[in-house]
Amino acid sequence: MKRIAIVGSGISGLAAAHGFLRAGHRVDLFSDRTAEQWLRESRPTGTAARFDLALSYERELGLNFWDDVAPQGEGVFLTFCPTLHNPLVTLIGRQRRPFQAIDVRLQSARWMDELAARGGNVIIEPVSAERLDAIAAEHDLTIVATGRAELCRLFARDDARSVHTTAQRNLAMIITTGGPARFDEVPLLPVRFDFLGTDGEIFFVPYFHKDAGPSWNILVEAKPGSRLDRFAGAKSGAEALKILKNVVAELFPWDAAFVWDMTLADPLGWLVGQVVPAVRKASARLSSGRVVAALGDTSISYDPIAAQGANSGIKQARHLVEAAGDAPLDEAWIDATFESFWAAHASAAFTFSNLLLEPLTAPARELLIAQYGSDGRADNRGGRQRVANAFFENFNDPRTLTPAFTDMRRARQVVAEQTGGRWLWSGVRGRASIARDQVKQKLSRLR
Ligand SMILES: Cc1cc2nc3c(=O)[nH]c(=O)nc-3n(C[C@H](O)[C@H](O)[C@H](O)COP(=O)(O)OP(=O)(O)OC[C@H]3O[C@@H](n4cnc5c(N)ncnc54)[C@H](O)[C@@H]3O)c2cc1C
């Protein structure tokens, strides 16, 4: 049995705490807030929609308390507009297993209480750098999972892996109730993804709010200075929601009715800000020479565009727990464990996330064209549907399709595999359908 200290009661720290506890270790979890404070006084740190690979670890740990009540997201309903009011391509993809987005405040509160009930020690204390040193002296492994808060600066940025030095999007997140339960146009419960090449993206995520239950969590990813970039000055969630309704009516009018009756779920249920995507060194040496490990957002900060942060944090927690054997959990172990996590999962997730921040690549365009006409029906086994499904499955496991987004040969290979060897025909047919639908749209505007 090892003595494990974890600082931070977000999704990553708590998943690791439960994992280490279940593996038979002694766990001390340090949190700057109580479960009650998570519920009543906190902002959510993000939407944190999770896909099957992450959710399956939560289930293994017996932490899936909301399976029977939370909306089960089934797929994606994407409209791609290269320019304003030009919905060129739609994609309706279905995932093999559902995704879920649970209010992280509810989740942290419940997972903290559960940790204490299972025999973990929960210590309420904001940990300073000096205190961290004292904690590290008493434990075999000390993990810092404090998100992007102060302590993450202990870990040096990995310049070779980080790619960006500035935020690529200005973000707004608003949790709403009172909207429709579904999008009537599609036969599944989707994350609605409006993609405007010139300005940014809006996501409508089916969500389980701590008080209101089923609801929508809306994420705006605005390119700085664009027409979407209007939320920075919002003083309240109600104001942010008002801006959102105007933005949707102006830029994505087909979804205006969907947001019209929405109200703010709770006064703290919103955020504006930015994330500078970054990979940090796995270990940090404190002034005493003791070493601590980074986990979750402290280790890798993702822009939320590809919904990878919480998924990656859970996968990393699992990786750490499973790598811990009898050998000392020292600096060499921390660094080697991160390297194997990077190779196995995070490199693909980080690349995928960064790719979505950039203009569409030519191979990605090829995939979008090949799937055109997907309808998301569960009984649709056709090639176009399979390409659309593969696109959304990549959010669950970014190792599957990410390499194809930058490699035309691989993209065509994927299309050929999914459509029974007809990538050329899929491309021709896709382009013809898009052209036909564009003409129809233009004619309908003339009427
Ligand atoms: C708008 C937005 C939308 C997002 N959407 C998604 C999504 O759909 N899917 C997805 O996978 N990811 C998403 N993400 C990312 C995801 O929310 C984060 O990756 C995830 O919540 C990070 O969890 P964490 O436990 O690493 O850190 P955090 O959630 O930041 O938790 C760390 C916690 O540590 C505690 N703490 C901090 N400092 C101290 C200290 N000194 N002492 C003690 N305790 C301390 C605090 O309580 C803090 O909340 C989104 C992010 C944003 C901003």
Side-chain angles (χ1 to χ4, degrees):
M1 183 207 280
K2 299 264 202 288
R3 292 161 306 167
I4 312 287
I6 296 167
V7 184
S9 55
I11 197 164
S12 316
L14 278 161
H18 279 277
F20 278 113
L21 193 66
R22 198 180 69 132
H25 302 289
R26 197 192 105 173
V27 172
D28 296 327
L29 180 97
F30 296 83
S31 170
D32 62 354
R33 62 197 80 186
T34 62
E36 193 57 23
Q37 285 173 318
W38 262 116
L39 278 177
R40 303 289 156 227
E41 297 168 20
S42 298
R43 294 266 187 108
T45 42
T47 313
R50 271 108 60 214
F51 306 102
D52 189 52
L53 283 176
L55 291 173
S56 59
Y57 189 49
E58 297 172 30
R59 290 195 183 104
E60 234 175 77
L61 295 176
L63 297 173
N64 53 323
F65 301 113
W66 301 277
D67 277 358
D68 294 337
V69 288
Q72 303 289 314
E74 296 170 291
V76 66
F77 172 25
L78 182 155
T79 299
F80 172 68
C81 305
T83 51
L84 188 62
H85 299 167
N86 179 17
L88 186 67
V89 180
T90 53
L91 179 153
I92 308 167
R94 189 175 272 276
Q95 242 171 7
R96 269 197 289 275
R97 305 278 311 271
F99 67 87
Q100 257 179 38
I102 311 294
D103 195 322
V104 291
R105 298 167 292 182
L106 174 64
Q107 186 170 286
S108 278
R110 181 76 202 268
W111 287 9
M112 263 169 91
D113 286 345
E114 192 67 23
L115 186 73
R118 292 179 187 182
N121 301 310
V122 176
I123 302 127
I124 305 303
E125 172 186 347
V127 172
S128 64
E130 298 73 49
R131 176 75 179 113
L132 186 66
D133 215 333
I135 293 170
E138 292 165 2
H139 293 86
D140 298 301
L141 175 65
T142 298
I143 296 173
V144 181
T146 53
R148 289 173 287 121
E150 195 59 28
L151 287 181
C152 104
R153 299 209 188 131
L154 292 169
F155 300 88
R157 178 176 183 274
D158 185 330
D159 294 331
R161 285 174 170 157
S162 289
V163 184
H164 297 107
T165 52
T166 56
Q168 301 301 296
R169 294 288 189 276
N170 289 328
L171 307 172
M173 186 199 83
I174 306 161
I175 308 171
T176 67
T177 56
R182 308 182 68 84
F183 282 88
D184 291 335
E185 304 94 307
V186 293
L188 44 72
L189 180 63
V191 52
R192 173 77 171 118
F193 182 175
D194 275 321
F195 188 128
L196 175 52
T198 44
D199 296 66
E201 303 79 17
I202 296 194
F203 299 84
F204 302 77
V205 184
Y207 190 70
F208 192 76
H209 178 264
K210 67 186 178 74
D211 308 315
S215 45
W216 291 94
N217 184 309
I218 304 173
L219 168 65
V220 179
E221 292 257 339
K223 293 190 176 176
S226 72
R227 287 166 286 198
L228 258 181
D229 190 10
R230 294 188 208 167
F231 294 84
K235 305 261 179 320
S236 67
E239 197 184 330
L241 182 56
K242 199 168 154 204
I243 299 170
L244 177 88
K245 288 181 181 181
N246 290 333
V247 162
V248 171
E250 224 176 277
L251 305 183
F252 309 103
W254 45 85
D255 281 333
F258 191 81
V259 296
W260 202 246
D261 292 327
M262 287 181 171
T263 53
L264 191 67
D266 75 281
L268 296 176
W270 68 291
L271 289 174
V272 291
Q274 301 180 322
V275 177
V276 180
V279 182
R280 296 185 192 81
K281 298 288 184 190
S283 57
R285 199 167 271 278
L286 305 176
S287 48
S288 63
R290 296 186 189 99
V291 171
V292 292
L295 169 64
D297 274 19
T298 305
S299 171
I300 307 174
S301 304
Y302 296 84
D303 181 284
I305 193 161
Q308 290 304 304
N311 285 282
S312 178
I314 297 271
K315 289 171 188 170
Q316 189 179 13
R318 173 181 218 153
H319 196 85
L320 276 169
V321 170
E322 290 177 353
D326 293 334
L329 307 179
D330 56 10
E331 186 175 19
W333 179 87
I334 294 168
D335 291 346
T337 303
F338 181 78
E339 285 309 312
S340 55
F341 173 64
W342 179 258
H345 292 286
S347 164
F350 199 64
T351 303
F352 176 46
S353 192
N354 287 334
L355 275 172
L356 281 195
L357 292 168
E358 302 298 329
L360 210 60
T361 60
R365 208 164 42 235
E366 200 73 16
L367 290 163
L368 261 188
I369 290 167
Q371 67 71 44
Y372 189 65
S374 59
D375 58 19
R377 284 198 341 260
D379 62 353
N380 184 348
R381 311 256 182 271
R384 288 180 284 184
Q385 190 58 51
R386 286 156 56 111
V387 177
N389 295 352
F391 169 81
F392 195 43
E393 204 57 48
N394 197 57
F395 285 72
N396 174 41
D397 188 351
R399 295 169 297 186
T400 54
L401 210 59
T402 302
F405 288 141
T406 51
D407 181 338
M408 189 59 92
R409 192 186 54 80
R410 287 179 97 144
R412 286 176 176 163
Q413 199 179 329
V414 169
V415 175
E417 280 162 15
Q418 303 296 346
T419 59
R422 293 176 298 172
W423 74 260
L424 187 60
W425 171 231
S426 301
V428 170
R429 190 179 53 187
R431 281 179 175 83
S433 306
I434 292 167
R436 187 195 59 217
D437 290 349
Q438 284 272 292
V439 172
K440 269 197 209 155
Q441 271 181 46
K442 289 201 173 108
L443 285 175
S444 74
R445 277 185 217 140
L446 289 175
R447 279 190 199 122

